[in-house]
Every structure is written in C-alpha cells, then in structure tokens.
Amino acid sequence: MAALRRLSEILTPAPKPDRLYEISLFDRRFEFVGLKRLLGAADIDKAGDRLARLAAKSEVEREAARAILSDLTLQEVYDTPLVDDDGRVDDVMRVSYDIDRDIFEKHAHLTLGAAKDLILDRSGDEVSSFARGLTAVTVAAIAKIMDVHELILASRKLARAATARTTVGLPGTLSSRLQPNHPTDDLSAVTLLVYTGLSLGAGDALIGINPALDTIENTTTLLRHIDALRRRTGAPTQICVLSHIRTQLACLEHGAPVEIMFQSLAGTQRTLGEEFDCDVELLDRAYRIMAERGPLRETAGQFMYFETGQGSELSYGKHNGIDMTTTEALCYALARRYDPFMVNNVTGFIGPETHRSNMEMILSNLQDHFMGKLMGLPMGMAPCYTLHSEITPEGQQIAAQLLTAAGANYFMDVYLGVDRMLAYFDTSGHDDQTLREIFAREPAPEFTDWAIARGIFERDCAGRLRRGANWGNPRIFCESDAELGELCGKLPIAHGWENAGPRPANAVSRRTRANLALAREAIYAELSPHKLGPAPLRTVRTRAATKAEHLAAPELGALLDLESLSELKPDGADVRILVSDGLSAEAIHHNIPQLLPALLDLLSQRGLRVATPLLAPNGRVKLAESVGEATGSKIIVTLIGERPGGDAISSRSMSAYLALRVQDEETGSRNAVSRYEYSVISNIYEQGTPPLSAAEAIAERVGQMLAHGAGGNRLELLLQDEKGQRFDRA
C-alpha cells in the first residue's frame, strides 16, 4: 500500500514573481515573461495552446523558447511552482512536489538539456531512479525539448508492470481494456461486446464499461453483470464500471464488486473540483477504502485506475494559464500518488478546440506516454478522435503503431473502433491483435493461458503465439446459435462479423467507413427552426457567430451575446428549457418535435412555472449558466445535439443537461465557486432513449432536483439515502 503523505507535509517553494526569460537567436531577440509563457512557447503547435494564447507565434520563437528551457537547471524549475489564478499553489501542484528529495538534490544542478541527455543515455533502471526526483513541471519541460525518436526511445526502456488478477506491462506483452459501451446500457448488447472482445483476445487488462446512466443502482447492475460474464467465461481479468468515484464508493458500501476504482483526473484543482467533483482528500479516502475492503485487496498489487488526456483544463477554461502538456504531467503526478493499476490517456477525446489535426494528436500522445512512463506509471494509451475534429482513422493508426513501438502497456478494445455510447473513435480488438502480430507481442500471461485453452490462440512448433480456430468467434461463449442471434439483434453499429486475418473483412470495413463518413457530415448541418415542430421558441444568440467559431472556441458557445443578454430578464420561472444544435443539428431536428411538447406538458402537470423555451444556435452545455444568471431560473434544461457517432442513426443522438442553480452554502461542498450542479440524460434518439421516454425521464429528474435542492452526484446520494430509509421503514 502506498504511503499517502499529508499535503501539509509536502515541501513546496513559495511562489515568486514572474521572471523575464530572454535570448538572442541569430539576429533576433526573444522575451518570455514567466515560466508558464516559456513552457507554452516551447511546445509543439496545438489548437488548445493557440486558443489559450500560449503557443509560439513562429517556429523560430519556438526554438528560442526551447533553447532557454534547455539551459534552465532542475533547481530553477523546482523553485518556480506554477500558481493558480489567485497566485496560490493549488493541491494538484503541491502533490507534484512529493518527490525523493535526496535524488533531486543530487541532480538539482543539471540543466534540462543535460537531464534529457541522461535519460537517453542511461539504462531504464537508472532513468527510473533519476525520475523519482522530478516534479511534474520538470517532466513536461523535458518532453518539450524531445523529438519523436527520443520520445519513443526513452519510453521504450521505461517498463512499468502492475498486477491485479493479470499482470499488465511485462516485457513482450501488449494488453487491452475491453470497453463494452452501449447507449442505454442494454445488458444483452454488453454481453455480446464482452464475448466478442474476449474472442478477439482482448480484455486482459480490464473489462471496463462507461455507464450511460451514472447512478448507484445502474452502476451496481452493470458491475454484477460483467462480474457474472467474467465468471461464466472464466477469463482471468478484472472489472470496472467507470462511474464517478462517489458512485463507486457507494456501490462498494452496498456490496457490489468494485474490483478496480476509477476516476478521471485533471491537472488543476479548479478543474478537478468544480468540473469533476473530486479532490485529493476524496481520492485519498477511496484509496484507503479499497486497500482495506476492495474485493481484490488480497490479490492485487494495485487497484486504482485513472483516466487523463490533454485539454480538459483548457476546455473548461480552468487551466490557470498553464499549457496542455504541463497540466497533463500534473495529472500523472497526482496518479503517481496512488500507485495505480492502470492509467489511460485519451488525448484526442475532447475535439478540435484542443487537438485539431492528426499531427497534433499523434505528437501529444507520444509526449503523454513518455511523461507517464518517466513518472513511473503503467501507461495505457487510447489515441482517439471525434468527428468534429480533422483527425482521421489513418492518423489514429499511425499513433497506435508509434505508441506500440514506444512500449505502451495496453490499448482499448472498442468494437470496430466506434464507441456506441460516448460517440468517439478508439482502437479496436482487431487493432490490438494486428499490433501484436506486427511487434511480436502477447497478452498478459495469465490471460494467454486461458485463451489457448479456449482455442482463441495456439502456439506453433516454435512456441510462437498465433490466432487459433476460435479467434474472433463469440459463439464459443454462447449455448446456442439462437442465443448468439438474439444478442446480435441488440447491438447497434455492427456491420458484420467476418474477419481477414487479424483485420475486419473488407466488406465490414467498407460499411463501417461509409457510415463514419456520412456521420461526419452531420457536424456541419445548420439548425433549421422550421424543423422543430409547433412548440413556441424564442431565439437567442451565443458569441459564436459561425459554425467555425463554435467548433474552434468552446467558450464562445457558452456565453450569450450582448444583445441577447440584455433582453433576458428574471421572470420567476422554475424551469427554463434551452434548445441548441451543439454538435449535431440533425439530432435536434429529429427529436425536438416529439420531445419538447411532451416535456412542456409533463412539467406543467407538475405545477411548475416554465418559461418560453429558448433556441440558441451554436451553443455549448455551459450556456445554461449564462442563461441562468440572466434569468434567475431554478433549473435550466439544455436539450443539445451530441457529437455524431459511427453511423447515420447515431448522428441523431442528443442529451438533456439539467443545471440546478444553487447557493454556495447549499452544496455542502468544498467547491463553493461552482454555482451549478448538473444531471444528464444522454443518448436520446430512436436507438437509444426514445424522445417521449426521455421527456418522462427529464420531468421526473427535474422534480427530484427541485425537491432535494441538489443535482449530480449529491442528488444520487440523497436519493440512495431516501431509498434506504423507505426500505428500513418497510
């Protein structure tokens, strides 16, 4: 069990005024005010850093910043903690200073350039020892002065294995996390995705599902279901439902098999607290509970699982003026505190406001993998993208090849690369097996033995692992053809089961790619008010005047323009409905005509005062807060188009975000700056939650939020307590 040092015991230098860094390069003079500005200018060119005005203005300026950075000593970087917007060292930054002081002091005189040379020259064990004395900011700075070959070379020799039921990250292995997501958490579809993934040799790192509904009841149901599948198949692996950490703790309290504890991390305390409803204290508590009561406490050497990815701090506007690479390194320092079983990087998941192109995504993934490995983490990678970026499947495949060469512990298995619930694109079980065959890798040894026994793999006369007769055949886990056929009828975006070697058959690939191309077009469809049915709508405008501005700068779509802001006044409404195209106007066109009239009727039946719904082209979810502040409504229900998935039907998916406006003292939280608590009902479309059913669910949740004065995780815990009290009285 890792020793968790109290935050107050972690020695952190006092903040200093910004220093002027300057250099003459050829006949030109360059100046950078403050380490934040220097770090941003030294990095590769990325959309998020451009948006934050941290990126270099030219290649020459970038090299000037790198030259200055290379000559700074480890001591100089250590002595300059990056502060938050109030000039304080936040908890996430403080955690990054929890290093081996003896190792740091031994090397503090080295420049960053010399540190890079040491990393490239020494053995993996020597580098791992050296890295125990490095802060997150130092690690990020070193990454910024490395090229592609250097990032791969250094990462490859930094092996880091971790053990639960399987040992992931051993030399010669490449594992996968099987992700059986479904837009409504349909258990039959989840079953088929698990069976299919296992038959492809995937899932040795984890069977981990992102729930469509993050409630204690639903999370418990999913945990018990995938635990039953694990037992039925006999697969040696571990399970996780990627609900919020508070939800998982409540599930564990009620006896659910929470084998691996998950949480998304952020590199600033404001993002972690205000957006992810988490802090170091909660993470510490979850770690201790898992060590004492987790189902695998007698088996697993590690049992925490963290997900990160460049850009969340920027996307929420809470990056403290720090560039994306550095905030990502701060996530790794926080993860390092808990000696995790898995860290999964999903850079590319957010969209074009952070990473617009293939090159931005590829290089950022290589940086992230290097930084995580240097900080001693068992790094899994998920080079991924969304359809509203310019990233393509080919760019993703290049990233996966390079990351395998660099020694990534595992990749994702999302069937055919299309996540049916989160509407993004990741690696598949076919990709994992292709990479194993190219790089001569195997799954974790415990899983390999099981898969050989099931005929999924076999060994040739030379002892080399190869695909067996049952590879890619989920039928081996079903009792009959009829059972498999019934399961297949539940799964959307499944364009065939035929394979060609380790790849999907060409016919399957062509259907998958054609649907993907059609879905991408939905991003650019314009919102047409005449397609939204008879319900009255009042149009307001955001500060994103065009589709291009909307996609590139998320903060513009989160704010009303000045004219609309001046026209909205408080009117005593309990509920205000806000309709926006978001990332798919087609989703609004197909759902609002049925959903909106039904929702208005249901809310009226509850005796609630509902204002005339607003229509906001080019809006984002956080626009609810701008509307809430202008009108004083208790709840803003935002009906918004989500990013399109992998086919024409899923491009019609929208969500309802319910934002409760609360007073600071009502939250019972340390995150008093946050005035809104969100609940969400996602995947509203004909193959997910149908519009009329969604209207009923939204109205019910509005009633619960008003009755309890809470939303999000706080509401879920209150509802669970209420349910327990009813059970006790009965």
Side-chain angles (χ1 to χ4, degrees):
M1 179 175 174
L4 303 181
R5 188 178 302 180
R6 293 176 183 272
L7 292 180
S8 59
E9 296 174 351
I10 299 174
L11 182 63
T12 309
K16 293 180 173 61
D18 281 340
R19 169 183 164 186
L20 177 64
Y21 300 93
E22 51 189 340
I23 190 174
S24 292
L25 193 62
F26 303 111
D27 59 344
R28 297 167 63 179
R29 190 76 179 163
F30 294 92
E31 296 182 348
F32 305 91
V33 179
L35 185 57
K36 292 179 184 179
R37 176 73 183 92
L38 180 66
L39 288 166
D43 212 341
I44 61 173
D45 192 35
K46 306 172 191 175
D49 291 336
R50 293 194 298 271
L51 189 62
R53 296 184 175 87
L54 291 168
K57 298 179 179 64
S58 68
E59 285 294 321
V60 179
E61 183 180 71
R62 181 172 296 110
E63 288 306 319
R66 288 171 173 170
I68 296 172
L69 206 56
S70 296
D71 287 339
L72 294 183
T73 66
L74 303 188
Q75 185 72 59
E76 287 175 299
V77 177
Y78 176 94
D79 288 339
T80 313
L82 306 183
V83 296
D84 65 17
D85 292 342
D86 296 320
R88 295 176 296 194
V89 176
D90 73 12
D91 286 352
V92 177
M93 182 66 65
R94 187 173 299 278
V95 166
S96 84
Y97 278 84
D98 190 7
I99 59 176
D100 188 312
R101 297 278 313 165
D102 292 337
I103 292 175
F104 166 72
E105 290 172 2
K106 179 180 177 182
H107 298 96
H109 65 284
L110 291 179
T111 64
L112 292 176
K116 186 191 90 165
D117 291 344
L118 183 154
I119 290 167
L120 295 172
D121 182 59
R122 303 288 179 83
S123 70
D125 288 343
E126 290 175 298
V127 173
S128 295
S129 175
F130 166 68
R132 290 199 294 271
L134 302 180
T135 66
V137 177
T138 303
V139 169
I142 293 170
K144 293 168 188 289
I145 59 175
M146 299 185 88
D147 64 26
V148 168
H149 289 312
E150 291 163 351
L151 290 168
I152 294 173
L153 173 66
S155 299
R156 187 176 180 85
K157 61 184 172 183
L158 293 169
R160 177 65 168 89
T163 301
R165 284 194 184 91
T166 55
T167 299
V168 176
L170 292 171
T173 66
L174 177 62
S175 296
S176 69
R177 183 201 128 187
L178 203 168
Q179 181 168 289
N181 291 355
H182 185 270
T184 62
D185 293 331
D186 182 279
L187 297 183
S188 294
V190 170
T191 297
L192 179 58
L193 287 169
V194 170
Y195 287 171
T196 302
L198 291 175
S199 75
L200 293 168
D204 56 322
L206 188 79
I207 301 175
I209 184 168
N210 299 82
L213 184 62
D214 190 339
T215 65
I216 297 167
E217 182 177 7
N218 189 52
T219 299
T220 298
T221 297
L222 289 170
L223 280 166
R224 289 177 174 159
H225 182 69
I226 57 177
D227 183 55
L229 295 177
R230 180 188 64 78
R231 294 174 185 275
R232 177 179 177 180
T233 61
T237 187
Q238 32 284 324
I239 65 167
C240 178
V241 173
L242 284 72
S243 298
H244 191 273
I245 193 168
R246 296 183 193 275
T247 306
Q248 294 170 85
L249 286 171
C251 292
L252 183 63
E253 181 69 26
H254 290 84
V258 182
E259 295 185 344
I260 302 293
M261 178 65 70
F262 166 83
Q263 179 57 36
S264 294
L265 298 183
T268 67
Q269 185 176 337
R270 286 192 64 203
T271 311
L272 185 66
E274 295 171 24
E275 303 300 336
F276 295 175
D277 189 22
C278 187
D279 57 23
V280 176
E281 181 180 341
L282 177 59
L283 292 168
D284 285 359
R285 180 162 67 89
Y287 178 81
R288 292 188 177 104
I289 289 173
M290 287 295 290
E292 295 168 2
R293 295 160 46 197
L296 297 184
R297 62 188 180 278
E298 302 296 333
T299 303
Q302 292 82 23
F303 41 77
M304 301 294 283
Y305 171 23
F306 299 116
E307 205 154 81
T308 70
Q310 286 190 27
S312 62
E313 304 83 3
L314 178 283
S315 185
Y316 288 117
K318 296 174 181 176
H319 55 95
N320 296 338
I322 305 172
D323 67 90
M324 295 194 300
T325 300
T326 305
T327 51
E328 182 69 3
L330 287 160
C331 292
Y332 299 148
L334 184 55
R336 177 176 63 180
R337 178 175 174 86
Y338 305 101
D339 184 24
F341 174 63
M342 297 169 61
V343 175
N344 190 52
N345 172 277
V346 293
T347 290
F349 179 83
I350 294 174
E353 64 264 36
T354 63
H355 297 84
R356 178 174 293 276
S357 68
N358 283 325
M359 189 63 73
E360 291 179 21
M361 181 273 292
I362 292 167
L363 295 177
S364 293
N365 269 269
L366 291 173
Q367 287 180 328
D368 295 347
H369 181 249
F370 163 73
M371 293 190 299
K373 281 285 189 72
L374 187 61
M375 298 177 78
L377 295 174
M379 290 297 295
M381 300 300 297
C384 56
Y385 65 98
T386 65
L387 291 182
H388 64 305
S389 73
E390 297 169 6
I391 300 170
T392 65
E394 291 77 16
Q396 180 196 50
Q397 291 175 351
I398 292 169
Q401 290 279 345
L402 293 174
L403 289 163
T404 307
N409 280 12
Y410 68 90
F411 292 104
M412 305 296 289
D413 166 28
V414 175
Y415 185 61
L416 296 180
V418 180
D419 190 287
R420 290 145 184 80
M421 193 274 286
L422 294 175
Y424 81 114
F425 301 86
D426 212 322
T427 52
S428 68
H430 292 95
D431 296 331
D432 298 337
Q433 183 58 26
T434 302
L435 292 167
R436 285 172 181 157
E437 295 188 19
I438 292 172
F439 289 92
R441 305 288 175 84
E442 299 185 1
E446 305 91 341
F447 187 92
T448 298
D449 292 343
W450 167 83
I452 290 173
R454 297 304 301 255
I456 297 169
F457 292 116
E458 62 185 19
R459 293 202 182 275
D460 64 16
C461 58
R464 293 183 293 258
L465 193 70
R466 63 186 184 187
R467 283 170 280 112
N470 289 330
W471 187 88
N473 179 19
R475 172 65 177 83
I476 63 175
F477 301 116
C478 298
E479 293 184 357
S480 66
D481 291 340
E483 180 187 353
L484 178 60
E486 183 177 343
L487 294 177
C488 289
K490 300 288 187 178
L491 185 64
I493 319 178
H495 303 297
W497 307 92
E498 302 82 13
N499 301 307
R503 305 300 299 159
N506 182 65
V508 176
S509 293
R510 297 283 65 76
R511 287 190 289 269
T512 301
R513 289 293 190 92
N515 274 272
L516 188 153
L518 185 63
R520 196 185 283 264
E521 288 186 353
I523 294 288
Y524 303 99
E526 294 294 340
L527 188 61
S528 299
H530 69 274
K531 295 182 179 180
L532 303 183
L537 287 162
R538 176 184 173 186
T539 299
V540 294
R541 300 291 176 185
T542 72
R543 298 186 188 180
T546 66
K547 183 74 69 175
E549 288 182 352
H550 171 58
L551 294 176
E555 75 279 3
L556 297 178
L559 296 170
L560 291 166
D561 71 6
L562 295 179
E563 181 179 352
S564 296
L565 192 61
S566 67
E567 293 174 352
L568 288 180
K569 305 295 181 185
D571 56 11
D574 297 309
V575 181
R576 189 170 300 268
I577 298 172
L578 174 64
V579 179
S580 181
D581 50 352
L583 295 175
S584 175
E586 291 301 312
I588 300 303
H589 296 158
H590 283 87
N591 293 292
I592 290 299
Q594 289 187 67
L595 189 154
L596 185 56
L599 178 57
L600 289 169
D601 185 53
L602 289 166
L603 293 174
S604 178
Q605 291 176 26
R606 289 176 173 266
L608 298 174
R609 294 166 295 175
V610 185
T612 300
L614 303 176
L615 178 65
N618 297 332
R620 296 277 184 161
V621 172
K622 291 288 186 175
L623 182 62
E625 298 181 14
S626 183
V627 170
E629 293 304 303
T631 64
S633 301
K634 295 178 182 177
I635 290 183
I636 309 297
V637 177
T638 303
L639 305 174
I640 192 166
E642 295 287 14
R643 56 195 187 192
D647 66 1
I649 300 300
S650 65
S651 68
R652 300 174 181 176
S653 178
M654 57 167 281
S655 291
Y657 290 86
L658 287 65
L660 175 72
R661 189 168 180 267
V662 295
Q663 300 300 318
D664 295 345
E665 62 271 13
E666 290 177 341
T667 65
S669 168
R670 294 173 60 186
N671 306 321
V673 175
S674 181
R675 293 179 58 96
Y676 291 85
E677 293 180 340
Y678 285 83
S679 293
V680 61
I681 297 169
S682 60
N683 292 288
I684 301 171
Y685 72 116
E686 56 193 87
Q687 289 191 358
T689 301
L692 295 180
S693 298
E696 294 176 358
I698 294 166
E700 180 182 10
R701 185 48 56 100
V702 166
Q704 292 169 337
M705 294 172 76
L706 289 172
H708 291 275
N713 294 315
R714 199 161 62 90
L715 176 63
E716 292 303 326
L717 295 175
L718 290 171
L719 292 174
Q720 184 67 23
D721 289 344
E722 185 179 80
K723 184 182 295 185
Q725 290 168 8
R726 288 199 301 268
F727 177 80
D728 291 340
R729 287 196 296 270

